[in-house]
Amino acid sequence: MNFPKELKYSKSHEWVKMVDDSNAIIGLTDYAQDQLGDLVFVNLPEEGDAFDVDEVFADVESVKAVSDVLSPVAGTISEINEELLDSPQMINSDPYEAWLVKMSDVSGSADLMDADEYEEFIKTEEQ
């Protein structure tokens, strides 16, 4: 499993890359895509939609199940990764390049962890 050090991670397995103080990029972690299996569909929000921390902002469908994606920060969707609508499997092949959304006006966050904390969290979750 790969957990880039420059990212923050949520307990619901999303990653966050803060671009600056008020803009962030959000995606699914390597662990999440591994647990979900082969992704076949992604449902993303509309640009301009606002979300609170831990609010469902997207869902992903794999060969196993449909799973909600929770917002690890509060903010407004400024861009969606439209490539994923046609090629959701990009998340499986490179989860840290295949971002889901970009958010602006970011405030508040879930209990975000650094890479080491997230790796420990996964170990305890798997027990």
Side-chain angles (χ1 to χ4, degrees):
M1 295 271 156
N2 178 24
F3 308 112
K5 299 282 187 203
E6 70 274 10
L7 303 177
K8 295 291 186 182
Y9 301 88
S10 70
K11 290 182 178 177
S12 53
H13 308 292
E14 293 83 19
W15 58 262
V16 178
K17 179 179 182 180
M18 292 303 297
V19 179
D20 56 35
D21 288 344
S22 63
N23 293 286
I25 302 171
I26 299 168
L28 290 176
T29 67
D30 194 11
Y31 178 80
Q33 71 79 25
D34 183 64
Q35 294 297 304
L36 290 166
D38 294 333
L39 293 172
V40 296
F41 183 76
V42 176
N43 183 27
L44 297 173
E46 298 287 322
E47 289 179 18
D49 288 352
F51 295 93
D52 287 325
V53 175
D54 291 336
E55 187 175 357
V56 175
F57 76 90
D59 57 72
V60 292
E61 184 177 343
S62 70
V63 293
K64 294 180 182 179
V66 175
S67 300
D68 289 337
V69 182
L70 304 181
S71 184
V73 295
T76 302
I77 304 299
S78 57
E79 187 178 343
I80 64 169
N81 188 347
E82 294 192 18
E83 289 182 358
L84 296 181
L85 300 177
D86 293 326
S87 303
Q89 66 278 7
M90 291 169 59
I91 297 169
N92 294 114
S93 58
D94 195 348
Y96 300 109
E97 287 298 317
W99 53 274
L100 299 173
V101 299
K102 293 183 180 181
M103 279 190 151
S104 60
D105 303 321
V106 171
S107 65
S109 63
D111 294 328
L112 297 178
M113 300 169 270
D114 65 25
D116 294 335
E117 292 169 327
Y118 182 66
E119 199 165 355
E120 284 301 312
F121 172 73
I122 289 170
K123 287 178 186 172
T124 60
E125 194 172 76
E126 290 180 332
Q127 293 176 353

